[in-house]
Amino acid sequence: MSIQLEDKHIVVVGAGPVGCLMSCLLKKKGAKEVTLYEKRPDMRATDIDAGRSINLVLTERGLAALTLLRERERVIKELTVPVLGRMMHDLEGNLTYQPYGKDDSEHNHSVSRSELNKFLLDEAEEVGVKIVFGHALQDVDLENKTLHFLKGNDDIKVQADVIVGADGAPSPVRKALMELDGYEGRVDMLEDGYKEIPFAAKANGEYAMAEHALHIWPRGNHMLMGLANLDGSFTGTIYMPMTGDLSFEQLQTKDDVVAFFETHYPDAIELVPDLGNTFLENPTGTLGTVRCGPWFYKDDVVLIGDAAHAIVPFFGQGLNCGFEDCTTLNSLLDECDSLEQAFERYHELRKENADAIADMALENYIEMSEKVGDPAFLLKKKVEHKLEQELDTIYRSRYATVMYSHVPYKIAQDAGLIQQDILDTLLHDISSPDELDINKAKALIEQKLTPFYQKHNVNIDKAL
Ligand SMILES: Cc1cc2nc3c(=O)[nH]c(=O)nc-3n(C[C@H](O)[C@H](O)[C@H](O)COP(=O)(O)OP(=O)(O)OC[C@H]3O[C@@H](n4cnc5c(N)ncnc54)[C@H](O)[C@@H]3O)c2cc1C
């Protein structure tokens, strides 16, 4: 069974990566007309992302969605840098490396969000999506499926058959839905914000740090991270509280900034030319979690990506989750009898998983900012790495399951609790991974974890 879209004018609001991808898929499914409305100017012609380019990691869930456009390999080759593990920088400048996967074939892909977005805008135009820039959605009349945009000072009314809200965390489409009876939504802001700090390439164009690692400077209630770009530079991002002690609010002058870096990130100073000015000039972004539902209204409106479930960035999954929404919805358009059924099923399948990755992303902030430098945590990671190497048919870490498989996030989250319990038992009487009793580990896994996977029809050996 497949839903007929040939007579439908679909309006997608928000030409971010998720809106562009979903527009392509809807047009390829045969929709009569797909129009993508974006409030900003065309980013391919204007530098609208200065200081907020966002460098992110694509992983299996995101890459799989690009396969639907037959562009997975091209994106990997032309736009990404492989990231094989984490490199921790301590206060003395000592480095500790942790690989991500059981071997280097399992890795993340660092990509500039703007470059990926530009690529997808081109793709959308190529498949026949009409893109209209400079139109900011104000509100939606849900009964009449009419959208009200502002273009400069002009009011524009647009009629649609179907509305897709891909308008990111602030989503006016979501706001319209949440005014209906039976709909609920909330946005929980993190006390911390973020700011980008570009790390320059060396004078000869080479990378100034190991390029195939995510660099982390964990410092408790703030942290710095760096991900490689294609041109030898890195995009650094500092996360810290917006107000209070050691906060963005406290760093008002160039001297404040340099003194702060000298104390907390001394080995990063030489990487950032003109650190004080760069820091003060770049905008400070806020971070939050959107939880809402239902994500649809009849067969008229559906939410995707950050509009439905913005999350904090500490698991590197916001966009990957949004792309997975597109994969799911795309399949349901083939499997269901009506759009309303497809939207309802989509919400059922995705909502608990979006909530699960939202929780795991919040938890990961503590892991990244505090625990990655802690010897007990590092030992746990080493033991887990050994389990993944020696017992990989029955044990894969929560991290690997989230990043390199399609196992639903909720199952990865619940399995993670069982895994913590197993690791705590194994770590009880050892101080080095060499002391790990692998037979005891195997028995524990078969007793506690394997039945959980069996119950949920997950073959972890084949899932990654
Ligand atoms: C610092 C940081 C690091 C991150 N790292 C990662 C990572 O490593 N991996 C990962 O998967 N994700 C990461 N993310 C999350 C990722 O950036 C988002 O999940 C992703 O951009 C969501 O895509 P989207 O298309 O749904 O929304 P957006 O990218 O927010 O796009 C929404 C679009 O809608 C437009 N829009 C908004 N309002 C209106 C309106 N009223 N009218 C018309 N258009 C409108 C916007 O201009 C924008 O173009 C990170 C985010 C941050 C902030």
Side-chain angles (χ1 to χ4, degrees):
M1 196 59 64
S2 172
I3 296 162
Q4 299 303 306
L5 298 175
E6 283 78 4
D7 58 345
K8 301 269 188 260
H9 174 210
I10 303 179
V11 167
V12 180
V13 186
V18 175
C20 288
L21 175 63
M22 197 65 227
S23 301
C24 291
L25 298 176
L26 289 165
K27 190 67 193 147
K28 283 162 81 86
K29 279 262 177 285
K32 181 173 81 177
E33 205 180 338
V34 179
T35 314
L36 181 52
Y37 283 91
E38 167 58 44
K39 74 172 174 192
R40 302 189 294 176
D42 188 346
M43 59 164 55
R44 295 166 298 181
T46 341
D47 184 14
I48 51 173
D49 266 335
R52 210 185 282 245
S53 60
I54 296 189
N55 192 304
L56 46 79
V57 293
L58 271 179
T59 61
E60 179 52 33
R61 294 166 205 265
L63 292 169
L66 295 171
T67 309
L68 299 171
L69 302 182
R70 298 180 197 281
E71 293 293 17
R72 176 185 177 121
E73 293 314 317
R74 195 168 140 218
V75 167
I76 291 178
K77 189 157 173 269
E78 294 179 11
L79 298 184
T80 73
V81 178
V83 188
L84 310 179
R86 293 166 167 174
M87 186 76 85
M88 266 75 66
H89 295 238
D90 75 10
L91 261 179
E92 281 73 46
N94 301 312
L95 303 179
T96 316
Y97 178 73
Q98 278 171 8
Y100 279 139
K102 68 173 172 156
D103 58 44
D104 285 350
S105 68
E106 286 180 350
H107 58 266
N108 306 338
H109 300 266
S110 167
V111 66
S112 147
R113 183 173 69 172
S114 334
E115 292 309 312
L116 180 63
N117 208 156
K118 288 178 196 167
F119 178 91
L120 290 169
L121 284 166
D122 285 346
E123 286 287 308
E125 278 178 347
E126 218 162 275
V127 300
V129 173
K130 185 177 165 204
I131 311 180
V132 184
F133 294 99
H135 281 56
L137 181 69
Q138 303 302 297
D139 46 67
V140 187
D141 174 349
L142 293 172
E143 284 317 317
N144 295 310
K145 289 186 264 186
T146 311
L147 300 105
H148 168 208
F149 290 95
L150 262 192
K151 181 190 176 215
N153 292 326
D154 298 336
D155 286 304
I156 314 262
K157 293 268 186 312
V158 173
Q159 191 69 43
D161 296 315
V162 181
I163 299 166
V164 179
D167 42 352
S171 179
V173 178
R174 183 182 72 245
K175 281 183 189 139
L177 277 189
M178 295 309 134
E179 280 169 17
L180 296 171
D181 282 348
Y183 286 70
E184 284 182 353
R186 66 172 215 263
V187 184
D188 298 320
M189 296 308 294
L190 205 65
E191 283 174 8
D192 295 42
Y194 72 96
K195 191 188 278 282
E196 284 186 13
I197 306 167
F199 295 168
K202 286 189 196 165
N204 63 4
E206 288 177 5
Y207 290 98
M209 302 184 289
E211 75 260 36
H212 296 306
L214 166 74
H215 292 262
I216 310 183
W217 290 255
R219 298 292 183 262
N221 77 333
H222 54 93
M223 73 169 167
L224 178 64
M225 280 176 38
L227 269 174
N229 299 311
L230 289 166
D231 63 357
S233 68
F234 279 76
T235 299
T237 311
I238 182 163
Y239 297 91
M240 64 192 297
M242 299 294 277
T243 57
D245 286 346
L246 290 179
S247 69
F248 283 116
E249 183 189 54
Q250 300 288 312
L251 305 180
Q252 293 293 336
T253 66
K254 285 197 275 180
D255 288 347
D256 294 341
V257 173
V258 173
F260 172 76
F261 269 72
E262 276 168 351
T263 308
H264 300 287
Y265 304 111
D267 63 334
I269 293 180
E270 61 178 12
L271 301 169
V272 192
D274 197 10
L275 172 63
N277 280 322
T278 307
F279 188 97
L280 296 177
E281 280 164 15
N282 277 356
T284 309
T286 54
L287 300 166
T289 303
V290 169
R291 292 175 209 264
C292 69
W295 293 353
F296 69 102
Y297 175 62
K298 301 185 190 168
D299 56 357
D300 297 346
V301 183
V302 67
L303 299 174
I304 54 172
D306 275 18
H309 51 67
I311 61 176
V312 296
F314 308 111
F315 220 124
Q317 284 297 300
L319 181 62
N320 288 288
C321 182
F323 276 6
E324 201 175 49
D325 292 346
C326 299
T327 310
T328 304
L329 200 46
N330 190 60
S331 306
L332 291 168
L333 292 176
D334 291 333
E335 291 161 21
C336 293
D337 296 330
S338 70
L339 268 180
E340 184 166 4
Q341 192 190 45
F343 291 169
E344 193 175 352
R345 185 87 188 105
Y346 157 76
H347 178 254
E348 268 167 30
L349 288 172
R350 298 298 296 154
K351 169 68 177 155
E352 70 166 2
N353 289 306
D355 285 345
I357 191 62
D359 291 342
M360 290 192 280
L362 284 163
E363 268 171 41
N364 239 31
Y365 187 35
I366 299 168
E367 176 168 323
M368 290 175 87
S369 59
E370 292 177 16
K371 293 192 188 159
V372 286
D374 169 16
F377 175 81
L378 290 172
L379 174 62
K380 195 185 262 192
K381 283 283 167 197
K382 282 185 188 153
V383 167
E384 183 160 61
H385 189 60
K386 194 162 178 181
L387 292 181
E388 291 207 271
Q389 288 187 312
E390 301 207 9
L391 301 172
D392 64 339
T393 56
I394 54 171
Y395 190 98
R396 297 313 317 276
S397 68
R398 183 179 87 167
Y399 183 85
T401 312
V402 167
M403 303 302 258
Y404 310 127
S405 85
H406 298 276
V407 171
Y409 288 125
K410 174 75 173 126
I411 293 181
Q413 183 186 34
D414 290 347
L417 297 176
I418 301 171
Q419 291 171 317
Q420 279 308 315
D421 183 38
I422 293 172
L423 286 170
D424 287 343
T425 308
L426 293 173
L427 283 160
H428 195 62
D429 39 24
I430 63 172
S431 54
S432 136
D434 300 334
E435 297 165 26
L436 178 69
D437 178 345
I438 206 74
N439 291 326
K440 179 177 170 189
K442 184 164 181 280
L444 269 175
I445 292 165
E446 286 173 345
Q447 183 201 339
K448 296 189 171 194
L449 187 60
T450 307
F452 171 82
Y453 285 137
Q454 282 166 346
K455 185 173 151 210
H456 292 280
N457 293 321
V458 171
N459 182 345
I460 203 69
D461 184 24
K462 298 275 181 297
L464 288 97

